Amino acid sequence: MAEVGIFVGTMYGNALLVAEEAQAILSQHGHQATVFEDPTLADWEGFSQKIALVVTSTTGQGELPSSIVPLYEDIHARLGHQPTLRYGVIGLGDSSYSHFCGGAKKFDALLQEQGASRLGDPLFIDAVDHPEPETVAIPWVEAWVALLN
């Protein structure tokens, strides 16, 4: 079974709630999943040959929440090529802002540039349509689990 690190960027706790739901689903399917609420580069590097799931909200200006900015910056400045990393992305945002899910899209773009392999399409959850993001995330994670084997 797979080992998955769930790296969270949250402002109001919704991304953490989604991450915890994902962890429960992964565990139910026999995978080992660890949630990192204030992720560090050392946490990330522990999954370089495993699987990472980035679950992050976005600020009103399309940026990452402060809880995950240091990780993003360290990955950008210090890691470079990550060809052995497999990952997924769940973004939470609000389409009434011009930079809808900008934080998650930014993180995804960085990992793509560094040669990581994305498993499936990213999930972008719109708070306008889905005030409880876990209702959209749960079916996505259930489908994403099948890609881990």
Side-chain angles (χ1 to χ4, degrees):
M1 289 287 137
E3 230 182 296
V4 181
I6 304 174
F7 299 87
V8 182
T10 193
M11 291 171 40
Y12 303 113
N14 286 336
L16 180 58
L17 178 63
V18 168
E20 290 169 342
E21 290 286 344
Q23 180 184 34
I25 292 166
L26 288 160
S27 295
Q28 289 168 3
H29 287 274
H31 301 289
Q32 182 180 340
T34 306
V35 173
F36 296 96
E37 194 172 341
D38 291 303
T40 66
L41 186 61
D43 297 330
W44 184 266
E45 288 178 318
F47 288 86
S48 65
Q49 297 194 17
K50 300 171 186 168
I51 299 169
L53 177 59
V54 176
V55 181
T56 186
S57 57
T58 298
T59 69
Q61 300 303 314
E63 295 298 321
L64 290 161
S66 60
S67 64
I68 201 167
V69 166
L71 174 63
Y72 175 87
E73 290 175 348
D74 283 346
I75 290 171
H76 182 265
R78 297 172 59 194
L79 285 189
H81 201 54
Q82 297 188 74
T84 60
L85 177 70
R86 297 185 303 151
Y87 76 97
V89 174
I90 299 175
L92 285 70
D94 183 328
S95 63
S96 65
Y97 289 89
S98 59
H99 301 289
F100 173 65
C101 285
K105 291 174 182 176
K106 183 177 180 178
F107 216 112
D108 180 48
L110 173 63
L111 296 178
Q112 287 289 294
E113 288 170 16
Q114 292 187 341
S117 299
R118 186 176 61 220
L119 299 172
D121 292 327
L123 173 64
F124 301 123
I125 304 171
D126 188 352
V128 171
D129 297 325
H130 304 286
E132 296 178 354
E134 66 277 9
T135 61
V136 179
I138 289 170
W140 184 91
V141 174
E142 288 283 357
W144 191 72
V145 165
L147 303 174
L148 302 183
N149 300 327

